[in-house]
């Protein structure tokens, strides 16, 4: 697989299918793993870094579940390519910043991605469309077992998998669910919900991962605790919490429609109008308007636009994607124009 | 809008900073934003937070810990306090005494209940596996094979073994105290 092949491909998690896909965009699990005896990436010297890359490349090539993956060394990628992978949620911003002895292993469906020598030797990630965290666990658990046959993972019976940062020790697992909660935001209930989430040891992030502000009514909710609970318990807890949030968002949607359905319908269609006609649009405005269109589509106010197209627009309107499509570097203003053009083309009915 | 820092390029990154309850909005170009974010990481990173969590009640204990060095990767406890990251898996053994309360504070627990890498080729991980681990792996397998009766039986055995282990630990602690 070549990196550019991904451009014409919809990531698994953007398909807009799967359970509760009106409110839940995607479900994702990642596992942090390290090799025994080797220094963690931040503490390893060049020789160790290279050795780890080699061992992991070797192990992944032997694993049946990773047959359709491609291993990209970050030192071989252009800056733009790295940003492109970050925008597709296939690797972290941190991983893209430093290139020494780092790699990312991706499968053609973009379900699986493995970052090598990020904060830990291995960061395995599995993504699924919709509310499908159990399936993500099934897949990642098998990959993990498969890798454990080839690689001696750093592990203690008392403390589980050992990670560079003690906040990940134990299962090394983080389960995240990306939610679209426009009605909770519009009815001003979101702060109450987020406060409750943080009390339950879960964290909330924005659409574009760690350190980003929630924008366009997207919230990514993940477990914080990784020690003292089994993987299944963590997943059950996430599941229970997300069910409740979905329920609350649904109630808020009903309330919004009941109270002032016409106002909502007006806002949805105005948003669509701008997207269909704008000639210059920045990413912040795009995300906000797309969020309204997505809500309108969920509520049946907009019938002729596939959710998959809306989901895709969130991704392809980001800076690196625009530049990959154009195959050249674009200034901020050029991007705003190209963005508007792509949106118009995709929304043309 | 032009960048607040260089005043030359278009501002495309919008940042909200909160310092001492004062909210401050910044509009930056990409280059200045990158620099700013690097600065912020230096100012306050996770390492500060972790180091704070690991602070000792007794200064003597701190002195003793700071001198410790991992025989495998040569990271010292002082390094860990500074960077907030451990150096290798062996560090967890070297600094066990000091990490236990830290893990408890972060996770509310210092006992792993999840899966384990039983099938390692080298068998290195196997050294540390006791009866309890063996039971847990059997349970995992039983669940995978959907042998739920067997799983329930194993679960009860595990609970019993855990209780025994806990009792033993308390006994040991009591002995140490007297």
């Amino acid at each position: 697989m070549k990196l550019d092949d991904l451009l014409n491909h919809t990531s698994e998690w953007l398909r807009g299918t799967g359970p509760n896909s009106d409110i839940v965009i995607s479900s994702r699990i990642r596992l942090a793993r390290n090799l025994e005896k080797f220094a963690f990436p931040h503490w390893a010297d060049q020789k160790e870094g290279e050795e780890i890359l080699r061992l992991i490349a070797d192990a992944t090539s032997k694993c049946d579940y990773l047959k359709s993956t491609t291993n990209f060394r970050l030192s071989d990628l252009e800056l733009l390519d790295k940003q492109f992978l970050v925008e597709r949620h296939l690797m972290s911003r941190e991983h893209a910043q430093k290139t020494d002895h780092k790699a990312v292993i991706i499968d053609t469906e973009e379900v699986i991605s493995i970052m090598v020598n990020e904060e830990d030797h291995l960061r395995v990630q599995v993504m699924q469309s919709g509310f499908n965290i159990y399936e993500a666990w099934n897949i990642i658990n098998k990959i993990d077992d498969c890798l454990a046959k080839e690689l001696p993972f750093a592990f203690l019976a008392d403390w589980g998998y050992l990670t560079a940062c003690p906040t990940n020790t134990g299962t090394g697992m983080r389960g995240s669910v990306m939610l679209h909660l426009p009605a909770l935001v519009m009815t001003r209930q979101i702060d109450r919900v987020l406060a409750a989430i943080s009390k339950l040891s879960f964290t909330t992030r924005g659409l574009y991962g760690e350190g980003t502000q929630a924008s366009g009514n997207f919230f990514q909710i993940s477990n914080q605790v990784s020690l003292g609970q089994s993987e299944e318990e963590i997943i059950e807890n996430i599941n229970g919490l997300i069910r409740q949030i979905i329920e609350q968002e649904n109630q808020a949607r009903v309330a919004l429609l009941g109270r002032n359905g016409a106002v909502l319908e007006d806002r949805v269609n105005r948003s669509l109008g701008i997207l269909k006609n704008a000639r210059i649009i920045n990413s912040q405005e795009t995300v906000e308007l797309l969020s309204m269109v997505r809500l309108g589509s969920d509520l049946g106010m907009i019938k002729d636009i596939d959710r998959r197209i809306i989901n895709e627009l969130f991704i392809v309107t980001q800076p690196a994607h625009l530049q990959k499509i154009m195959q050249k570097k674009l200034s901020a203003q050029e991007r705003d124009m190209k963005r508007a053009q792509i949106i118009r083309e995709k929304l043309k009915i | 809008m032009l960048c607040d820092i260089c005043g030359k390029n278009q501002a495309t990154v919008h940042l909200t900073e909160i310092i001492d309850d004062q909210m401050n909005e910044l509009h930056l170009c990409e280059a200045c934003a990158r620099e700013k974010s690097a600065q912020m990481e230096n100012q306050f990173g996770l390492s500060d937070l972790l180091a704070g969590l690991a602070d000792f009640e007794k200064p003597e204990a701190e002195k003793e810990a700071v001198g410790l060095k991992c025989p495998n990767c040569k990271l010292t406890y002082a390094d860990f306090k500074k960077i907030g990251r451990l150096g290798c898996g062996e560090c967890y053994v070297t600094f066990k005494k000091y990490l236990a309360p830290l893990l408890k504070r972060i996770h509310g627990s210092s006992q792993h209940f999840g899966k384990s890498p039983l099938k390692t080729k080298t068998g290195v991980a196997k050294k540390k596996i006791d009866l309890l681990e063996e039971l847990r792996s059997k349970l995992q397998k039983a669940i995978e094979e959907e042998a739920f009766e067997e799983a329930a039986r194993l679960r009860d055995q595990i609970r019993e073994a855990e209780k025994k282990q806990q009792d033993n630990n308390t006994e040991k602690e009591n002995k140490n105290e007297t």
Side-chain angles (χ1 to χ4, degrees):
Chain A
M1 176 179 71
K2 284 199 202 93
L3 205 63
D4 288 6
D5 295 347
L6 298 179
L7 257 182
N8 303 313
H9 180 262
T10 311
S11 314
E12 146 70 25
W13 63 280
L14 287 174
R15 279 192 296 119
T17 57
N20 300 92
S21 53
D22 51 344
I23 293 173
V24 185
I25 311 290
S26 63
S27 308
R28 144 161 83 166
I29 293 186
R30 76 113 166 97
L31 295 176
R33 297 288 185 258
N34 288 285
L35 310 192
E36 270 201 343
K37 303 286 179 195
F38 284 98
F40 296 142
H42 76 94
W43 198 246
D45 59 28
Q46 290 207 358
K47 212 177 116 215
E48 271 182 307
E50 283 303 313
E51 178 70 1
I52 287 158
L53 273 178
R54 197 186 57 76
L55 285 170
I56 291 174
D58 198 40
T60 50
S61 69
K62 284 183 188 149
C63 175
D64 277 345
Y65 294 97
L66 301 172
K67 279 271 180 286
S68 68
T69 57
T70 310
N71 192 327
F72 296 99
R73 276 206 66 154
L74 293 203
S75 53
D76 296 339
L77 298 182
E78 307 277 329
L79 179 67
L80 193 57
D81 289 330
K82 285 183 276 175
Q83 285 171 349
F84 174 74
L85 290 173
V86 173
E87 288 178 0
R88 292 182 90 80
H89 296 201
L90 292 170
M91 71 179 189
S92 67
R93 245 165 249 280
E94 293 71 33
H95 202 48
Q97 273 164 6
K98 296 172 197 138
T99 52
D100 305 354
H101 324 296
K102 293 182 196 299
V104 61
I105 300 166
I106 300 162
D107 82 310
T108 43
E109 295 304 306
E110 298 177 66
V111 170
I112 304 162
S113 96
I114 303 174
M115 289 188 279
V116 184
N117 282 335
E118 204 237 27
E119 185 177 293
D120 295 297
H121 295 144
L122 285 146
R123 285 281 178 104
V124 185
Q125 166 185 291
V126 165
M127 276 212 268
Q128 289 288 295
S129 194
F131 190 20
N132 232 342
I133 196 137
Y134 284 105
E135 186 53 24
W137 167 243
N138 281 336
I139 299 171
I140 207 166
N141 193 21
K142 284 178 190 146
I143 296 171
D144 182 48
D145 284 345
C146 190
L147 289 172
K149 278 186 205 157
E150 306 296 332
L151 300 165
F153 287 151
F155 179 87
L156 283 177
D158 284 350
W159 290 348
Y161 295 91
L162 307 175
T163 51
C165 183
T167 52
N168 296 310
T169 306
T171 56
M173 185 176 103
R174 190 131 301 158
S176 313
V177 177
M178 179 85 73
L179 298 159
H180 183 225
L181 305 172
L184 283 175
V185 174
M186 278 188 267
T187 54
R188 296 179 201 283
Q189 296 180 76
I190 193 71
D191 289 341
R192 181 180 56 77
V193 173
L194 295 184
I197 290 169
S198 71
K199 272 197 196 129
L200 296 168
S201 306
F202 286 84
T203 52
T204 315
R205 299 193 185 96
L207 180 58
Y208 305 114
E210 201 148 342
T212 62
Q213 211 178 27
S215 66
N217 308 317
F218 288 95
F219 299 87
Q220 186 176 292
I221 292 167
S222 352
N223 65 299
Q224 227 167 357
V225 168
S226 57
L227 184 64
Q229 296 174 341
S230 72
E231 291 84 357
E232 284 84 1
E233 276 177 274
I234 294 173
I235 291 167
E236 264 170 48
N237 288 341
I238 297 174
N239 211 48
L241 176 72
I242 300 297
R243 290 233 161 279
Q244 289 182 46
I245 301 173
I246 292 174
E247 179 60 30
Q248 301 225 354
E249 169 68 15
N250 271 325
Q251 283 174 12
R253 287 182 181 193
V254 170
L256 265 182
L257 274 176
R259 221 184 301 154
N260 38 18
V263 174
L264 186 61
E265 202 167 349
D266 177 69
R267 205 170 146 190
V268 164
N269 283 292
R270 277 171 185 270
S271 302
L272 183 59
I274 295 175
L275 289 170
K276 275 182 166 178
N277 292 291
R279 294 306 194 256
I280 299 172
I281 192 164
N282 67 26
S283 39
Q284 182 66 28
E285 189 182 4
T286 304
V287 170
E288 278 162 18
L289 297 174
L290 280 173
S291 166
M292 289 312 299
V293 171
R294 198 178 196 280
L295 176 65
S297 156
D298 293 343
L299 296 174
M301 292 171 174
I302 294 174
K303 292 203 173 67
D304 42 10
I305 298 173
D306 191 353
R307 185 184 292 147
R308 178 187 176 138
I309 303 241
I310 305 174
N311 281 356
E312 237 181 79
L313 277 174
F314 281 108
I315 299 305
V316 301
T317 53
Q318 296 174 89
H321 272 76
L322 294 172
Q323 295 175 72
K324 283 292 281 181
I325 292 167
M326 294 305 288
Q327 295 292 335
K328 65 171 184 186
K329 235 180 127 36
L330 300 173
S331 70
Q333 202 189 351
E334 285 169 329
R335 290 202 300 261
D336 290 352
M337 288 166 72
K338 184 67 197 165
R339 181 179 295 116
Q341 186 198 333
I342 288 180
I343 296 170
R344 288 201 309 277
E345 279 164 12
K346 291 251 180 201
L347 292 181
K348 208 180 273 168
I349 305 150
Chain B
M1 190 188 307
L2 290 179
C3 171
D4 288 346
I5 292 181
C6 66
K8 285 181 205 150
N9 303 324
Q10 272 296 326
T12 52
V13 177
H14 309 279
L15 184 79
T16 314
E17 238 182 2
I18 300 173
I19 302 169
D20 297 333
D21 291 340
Q22 284 287 314
M23 207 163 84
N24 186 17
E25 282 199 3
L26 279 172
H27 308 279
L28 309 173
C29 70
E30 274 177 29
C32 291
R34 210 165 291 139
E35 205 165 293
K36 180 90 188 160
S37 92
Q39 269 175 25
M40 279 165 66
E41 257 165 45
N42 286 340
Q43 267 173 23
F44 188 84
L46 190 67
S47 56
D48 299 274
L49 216 67
L50 283 175
L53 275 172
D55 271 344
F56 296 92
E57 283 161 21
K58 291 182 192 141
E60 309 91 74
E62 163 118 38
K63 228 180 240 170
E64 181 194 304
V66 164
L68 271 179
K69 189 184 215 171
C70 173
N72 184 51
C73 75
K74 315 289 182 239
L75 179 118
T76 64
Y77 195 81
D79 290 328
F80 168 60
K81 278 210 69 173
K82 202 163 86 195
I83 54 187
R85 300 277 185 280
L86 291 146
C88 69
E90 296 295 311
C91 289
Y92 279 87
V93 180
T94 313
F95 308 129
K96 191 157 193 164
K97 199 168 133 195
Y98 308 103
L99 288 174
L102 176 66
L103 287 170
K104 185 131 201 183
R105 277 205 222 173
I106 297 172
H107 298 283
S109 166
S110 52
Q111 178 62 52
H112 177 59
F113 287 109
K115 70 183 285 194
S116 46
L118 289 172
K119 298 154 194 160
T120 53
K121 212 189 213 169
T122 57
V124 196
K126 277 191 185 137
K127 274 194 308 208
K128 293 155 192 157
I129 292 158
D130 53 12
L131 169 78
L132 202 55
E133 279 307 304
E134 203 176 272
L135 286 172
R136 282 189 191 133
S137 89
K138 277 186 189 163
L139 175 65
Q140 180 88 20
K141 213 172 145 218
I143 293 170
E144 272 168 18
E145 285 165 5
E146 304 192 328
F148 293 116
E149 266 181 42
E150 169 78 359
R153 198 177 57 78
L154 285 164
R155 185 200 55 205
D156 294 340
Q157 277 186 7
I158 290 170
R159 282 198 184 141
E160 212 179 296
E162 275 169 4
K163 194 164 173 287
K164 236 181 239 166
Q165 199 180 47
Q166 236 167 25
D167 291 348
N168 280 344
N169 287 347
T170 349
E171 224 168 78
K172 262 187 227 157
E173 273 168 30
N174 288 345
K175 265 185 200 157
N176 288 344
E177 272 168 29
T178 48

